[in-house]
Amino acid sequence: QVQLVESGGGLVQPGGSLRLSCTASGFTFSSYAMSWYRQAPGRERELVAALTDAGGSTNYADSVKGRFTISGDNAKSMVYLQMNSLKPEDTAVYYCNAVRRWNTRYTYWGQGTQVTVSS
């Protein structure tokens, strides 16, 4: 069974930090490109950060550049999102995503974890 499980979300004050984790199972982790998306109420789901080119490249939404960092650990089949200098507009449900390299038909999503940035 393919499964992506996010953790690390919660309530944080503006300017604070959170580290999200995604644990993958049921597939060959190294064969997939991993990314984080988020969706706020009334907004479309948007790409936040991605690991591409077999982990050799990163891609970030303009709104999070310089504040968020995506990283992966193939040995642990995990991907992380370090979020610093959080802003209220970062409030959203954050989702872990996996797409098989060279065959994007195989796409998987986690259940999401809520991040709320508020004072």
Side-chain angles (χ1 to χ4, degrees):
Q1 296 179 341
V2 173
Q3 188 173 35
L4 299 174
V5 180
E6 302 97 332
S7 63
L11 175 65
V12 64
Q13 294 189 10
S17 298
L18 285 173
R19 184 174 184 256
L20 305 183
S21 298
C22 174
T23 303
S25 62
F27 63 93
T28 303
F29 185 80
S30 62
S31 297
Y32 285 73
M34 304 298 297
S35 61
W36 288 93
Y37 286 73
R38 68 185 181 188
Q39 187 167 25
R43 301 287 300 276
E44 295 183 346
R45 187 171 297 188
E46 64 174 341
L47 176 68
V48 176
L51 282 172
T52 59
D53 298 327
S57 298
T58 58
N59 185 36
Y60 297 94
D62 288 341
S63 60
V64 307
K65 286 181 179 178
R67 300 188 297 119
F68 291 11
T69 302
I70 187 171
S71 61
D73 188 331
N74 286 341
K76 296 181 179 179
S77 296
M78 296 186 70
V79 62
Y80 309 94
L81 184 67
Q82 178 66 47
M83 305 185 294
N84 298 324
S85 302
L86 284 162
K87 304 175 180 179
E89 51 263 44
D90 294 319
T91 296
V93 177
Y94 284 71
Y95 298 90
C96 182
N97 170 263
V99 178
R100 183 182 286 184
R101 305 181 192 279
W102 304 106
N103 192 350
T104 58
R105 175 181 179 180
Y106 297 94
T107 302
Y108 306 103
W109 296 90
Q111 83 289 345
T113 185
Q114 177 71 48
V115 172
T116 301
V117 185
S118 176
S119 60

